[in-house]
Amino acid sequence: MNNNTNYSNYEDLGLRDAQLIMASILKDVKRICDKHNIRYFLDAGTLIGAVRHKGFIPWDDDIDIGMLREDYNEFLSVVKNELPDHLFLQTHENDPNYDIYQVPCKIRYNNTLFIEDKIAENEKMHNGLFIDIIPYDSLPKKRWVYNIQRKISNFVLRSFIRIREKPEKLTLKNKITYFVYNIVSSIFTTKRRQKLFDFLVKWNDKDSECMGYGLDTVWSQYIYKKEDFFDLIKVEFEGDYFNAPRNYDAVLTQLYGDYMTLPKEEDRVWHARIIKKLKNA
């Protein structure tokens, strides 16, 4: 882990070299999933990259994959014993200092640094290059139940996120709001927060025709048809083939609209502020 980082021990890493390291993490995750018959699929910008570029979007600096909750839980149960030594499973349980609350799981590459832009730096957690593992949940039978689930889970998650990103100067109204956030974050320790999410997930219907981003994420606005995902197909990404939603066009259109048209240069977003690797590693 990269605790108490001394930047003088690290050297800059180019974007393309960083992309290839992340692609290697993805290949290890694919190997583990295939071995244990765990379904995963390329997601978000990574899926666009596969469809449009057969690899990374040229300026992209992360990888996203998704898993339905049952596959995600199985992945967490086997991955610790399957990861090579140069990789680290990062969850709120495995890394008590991990505080990027909207993403419950990352696989990090040891002896590297990836400091995200617009997120307060935390030297105590593992900050290596990573891929995001995003759980998806089947929806409850009733939409109003889903709305209640999301109001509860989003309020708890956003309390932690807002505390992490607290501005230096607050209005009186914001001071009151942050006081409430502090109370919520003090009540919902990691174990209690996980128990809450596990309780809310029980309201879901595994046979639902729809799915969305997991209750332990903040993206509640996207709801997909399962038939657009399964059965999964293979798409090319960086010289290898990985799982993707069978109707990726419908999924990506819902997310991004016209995803095949390159955005303007000023809209080509990076996540990284710092990308480095340990010298002589």
Side-chain angles (χ1 to χ4, degrees):
M1 296 175 65
N2 300 309
N3 293 351
N4 302 316
T5 305
N6 183 350
Y7 284 176
S8 65
N9 294 328
Y10 289 79
E11 59 187 1
D12 290 339
L13 192 64
L15 176 59
R16 184 55 183 164
D17 289 331
Q19 288 177 339
L20 293 176
I21 289 174
M22 289 184 282
S24 75
I25 303 174
L26 178 61
K27 290 178 181 180
D28 276 311
V29 170
K30 170 192 172 184
R31 171 184 56 80
I32 295 167
C33 289
D34 288 348
K35 177 180 177 180
H36 294 277
N37 297 313
I38 296 170
R39 294 175 300 176
Y40 72 92
F41 45 86
L42 302 186
D43 198 9
T46 308
L47 182 57
I48 289 182
V51 173
R52 198 169 66 196
H53 305 277
K54 299 186 184 300
F56 280 94
I57 296 172
W59 57 89
D60 200 8
D61 56 5
D62 74 346
I63 285 179
D64 299 299
I65 68 172
M67 298 178 185
L68 263 179
R69 179 67 62 180
E70 50 265 39
D71 296 296
Y72 177 78
N73 289 341
E74 177 66 14
F75 178 77
L76 292 182
S77 73
V78 304
V79 66
K80 291 181 187 177
N81 297 324
E82 295 280 0
L83 281 180
D85 291 340
H86 64 275
L87 297 181
F88 174 73
L89 170 67
Q90 186 174 50
T91 65
H92 300 290
E93 292 78 17
N94 293 346
D95 184 352
N97 296 304
Y98 178 50
D99 61 357
I100 302 177
Y101 296 102
Q102 60 267 42
V103 180
C105 179
K106 294 177 183 282
I107 305 294
R108 298 271 192 178
Y109 200 97
N110 294 329
N111 298 322
T112 63
L113 284 175
F114 185 101
I115 307 300
E116 297 187 56
D117 193 21
K118 298 180 181 179
I119 294 181
E121 186 171 350
N122 176 2
E123 291 188 357
K124 293 182 179 181
M125 74 177 185
H126 194 307
N127 282 296
L129 287 160
F130 63 88
I131 73 170
D132 286 331
I133 314 291
I134 308 295
Y136 277 68
D137 282 324
S138 299
L139 265 59
K141 292 180 179 179
K142 303 292 185 180
R143 184 60 62 90
W144 65 265
V145 176
Y146 176 76
N147 292 337
I148 292 175
Q149 279 181 317
R150 281 298 184 176
K151 286 184 184 299
I152 296 171
S153 62
N154 277 0
F155 178 69
V156 171
L157 278 175
R158 291 191 185 280
S159 293
F160 281 88
I161 294 168
R162 297 286 174 81
I163 291 297
R164 187 191 200 281
E165 304 300 326
K166 182 179 178 180
E168 292 183 4
K169 296 181 179 180
L170 296 174
T171 64
L172 177 60
K173 179 181 178 180
N174 284 339
K175 285 180 180 179
I176 295 171
T177 302
Y178 274 91
F179 177 74
V180 175
Y181 292 155
N182 273 304
I183 292 174
V184 173
S185 61
S186 65
I187 293 173
F188 287 98
T189 61
T190 297
K191 287 185 178 179
R192 286 177 179 171
R193 198 168 63 246
Q194 188 58 52
K195 284 183 179 180
L196 172 66
F197 294 145
D198 290 343
F199 173 72
L200 293 174
V201 165
K202 290 179 182 179
W203 301 0
N204 293 334
D205 175 15
K206 288 186 178 181
D207 296 325
S208 172
E209 295 179 353
C210 296
M211 57 191 269
Y213 288 102
L215 287 164
D216 40 358
T217 74
V218 296
W219 303 290
S220 58
Q221 66 270 45
Y222 301 108
I223 295 175
Y224 304 100
K225 295 179 180 178
K226 282 185 181 176
E227 65 182 21
D228 286 335
F229 282 77
F230 306 105
D231 289 332
L232 300 168
I233 63 170
K234 297 289 185 182
V235 293
E236 185 176 353
F237 184 85
E238 296 296 338
D240 203 343
Y241 286 84
F242 300 90
N243 291 344
R246 63 186 295 269
N247 189 0
Y248 57 76
D249 179 68
V251 173
L252 289 176
T253 299
Q254 182 173 341
L255 266 174
Y256 301 106
D258 181 12
Y259 63 90
M260 290 301 289
T261 299
L262 291 174
K264 298 177 182 178
E265 288 194 22
E266 59 267 25
D267 296 328
R268 298 177 185 182
V269 178
W270 284 47
H271 300 90
R273 180 166 55 85
I274 296 172
I275 307 178
K276 293 181 179 288
K277 67 173 183 176
L278 192 67
K279 293 177 181 177
N280 302 318

